[in-house]
Structures are given as structure tokens and as C-alpha cells.
Amino acid sequence: MHTYTKIPDTALAIFAHPDDAEIACGGTLARWAGEGCHVILAVATQGDKGGDGDDPGRLSEERTRELLEAGRVLGVNDVIQLAYLDGELENTIEFRRRLVTLMRSFRPEVVLTGDPTAVFFGDLYYNHRDHRQLGWAVLDAVFPAARQRAYFPEAGDPVEELEVLLAATLEPNTWIGIDGLVDKKVAAMRAHRAQLARYQDSLDRVVAERARQAARMVGGTGEAELFRLVRGGA
Ligand SMILES: [Zn+2]
């Protein structure tokens, strides 16, 4: 298991729904932002079908406010909404063009997203279709598209090799310490009332326990988040 200690100059987190990044890697984003990294959080959908909402317009407005609040809690520098409809994300050329434009504009050293190969989490949950579509689209955008000029030449100059940290993975190979940041991660998650209100009572305990469990997996005693690190090489 690789210990990821570097604080990147610029990191781009791309997730499907307004609360995904906080759940998947909120501790890491808070840590990096606090240590001077320029953190950009891009959210692909409006989250307009989340929870039990029956008014998509009102829900997407509410979730935008919550997303901005969570971003302030974590200390991220930019929050970008691509505003696709919830549940309708597809790994299209048009979507990859927008992702490549983000990568070539902000020029991050590392991109964080969800692992699209993680499908079945035991018998409790299987991965949301938007998460799978998003994860593959981000990987396809990192390599080859963002690196090779012939892809989307109008989207800016190609980037160098990017590191990708895949969160919500079943095959972690890398960990990042988030000691002392669980409270901030929970506070950012709490901002997402529309989606997570029903878990408010157990959030502190569950998030802290998962973070300690992650640290124990790598022989540590504090708190951690786990990732699968891949590089868009070749
Ligand atoms: Zn989600």
C-alpha cells in the first residue's frame, strides 16, 4: 500500500452528485486545501432526483446551495457545476470534451474521482449508474484525450501525465492520512441535508469509524482515506 504524502499544487475532484466528493474523499480535499493546494471541485449533475424529492427544480437549487456550503467547509477554491440531469449521465464525446477542457484549463497534477470498476459493495449496495458513467468518462478524459493534442484541440494545450486517485474503490493501493479532519468531513457532509438528513444521527460515528478502519488496514492508528492510484500514461 502506497502512502500518498505529496500535497499537490492543484487538484481537480470530479464527481457525479453534489454530495459524492465529501463522502468519498472530503478529508483529503480538506487536508490539501488547508495545506495550500488549489482544489477544484467539479460536480457533473444537479442531483435533482436525489432522496425523496418530487420537485426537481427546487431540489437542484437546494442542492446547489448545500454544495457551495460544503465547499466552504472543506475550503475548496472553486466549485464548478456541469449541470447534467441526475440519472442521465452518459460517457459521451460532448461530456469528455467538457472534462478535458477542465483538465487543460486548471492543469491539475492529480484528478480525484470514483472507481467505476467498483460495482458490488457486498450485498448492501451496488454502484449508482451515474458514478460508473462518470468514473469511466473521467478516466477516458485523462488518457488519452487530455494528453493528446488531436483530441479536442479547441480545449487548450495538452496536459502532462496525470495521476488519478480513485475513491470509493474495492481495490485500494494508496492511502492518505486525514488525522484531525474527520469533523470537517462530517460537517461538509452535514451540509447536504437534502440527501443525508436521515443519517444525521449516525454520521459522526460512521465516518469516524470508517476513517479509523481505513487507517488500521494500512497499519496506522489515526484516520485515513483509501484510494486506487492509477496513472494516465503510455
Ligand atoms: Zn452520488
Side-chain angles (χ1 to χ4, degrees):
M1 188 82 71
H2 173 68
T3 310
Y4 197 97
T5 54
K6 180 176 71 179
I7 307 297
D9 287 334
T10 306
L12 172 61
I14 311 174
F15 285 86
H17 305 117
D19 55 339
D20 292 346
E22 291 80 347
I23 297 168
C25 57
T28 296
L29 297 183
R31 178 176 167 191
W32 288 357
E35 296 192 35
C37 172
H38 184 119
V39 178
I40 305 114
L41 171 57
V43 177
T45 77
Q46 302 174 37
D48 47 287
K49 293 191 187 72
D52 302 320
D54 55 3
D55 182 343
R58 190 188 52 73
L59 185 56
S60 67
E61 280 175 25
E62 197 178 327
R63 297 198 71 183
T64 294
R65 282 194 300 274
E66 294 175 351
L67 170 64
L68 295 175
E69 186 184 330
R72 279 192 295 274
V73 171
L74 295 179
V76 307
N77 301 82
D78 299 287
V79 176
I80 293 170
Q81 291 183 284
L82 301 179
Y84 290 94
L85 292 175
D86 199 345
E88 300 184 20
L89 214 49
E90 298 289 345
N91 182 1
T92 62
I93 289 178
E94 186 268 342
F95 185 33
R96 294 197 296 279
R97 177 184 288 114
R98 295 186 73 186
L99 295 174
V100 167
T101 301
L102 283 178
M103 291 168 197
R104 290 182 181 169
S105 301
F106 286 104
R107 311 191 76 77
E109 296 153 65
V110 57
V111 172
L112 302 97
T113 193
D115 187 340
T117 72
V119 179
F120 297 105
F121 291 78
D123 59 358
L124 292 174
Y125 170 72
Y126 57 85
N127 209 351
H128 192 296
R129 175 184 167 79
D130 283 342
H131 299 172
R132 290 179 275 127
Q133 293 290 318
L134 183 282
W136 283 123
V138 170
L139 287 171
D140 294 342
V142 165
F143 172 79
R147 291 194 59 199
Q148 296 183 7
R149 191 175 293 277
Y151 288 85
F152 314 122
E154 71 284 5
D157 288 330
V159 298
E160 299 294 313
E161 180 181 278
L162 290 174
E163 288 182 338
V164 185
L165 286 169
L166 299 171
T169 183
L170 295 171
E171 297 174 72
N173 61 10
T174 298
W175 69 281
I176 295 177
I178 59 162
D179 287 8
L181 289 163
V182 166
D183 286 350
K184 206 172 250 197
K185 175 172 179 166
V186 170
M189 289 170 67
R190 280 196 195 289
H192 293 283
R193 286 171 290 276
Q195 195 68 8
L196 299 176
R198 61 182 176 226
Y199 304 117
Q200 293 286 12
D201 292 345
S202 57
L203 224 43
D204 293 76
R205 185 175 48 76
V206 172
V207 174
E209 179 50 38
R210 281 200 189 144
R212 282 195 296 267
Q213 205 174 40
R216 279 199 300 273
M217 269 181 70
V218 295
T221 54
E223 288 131 356
E225 287 174 336
L226 303 177
F227 299 90
R228 180 186 206 174
L229 172 65
V230 297
R231 290 187 176 82

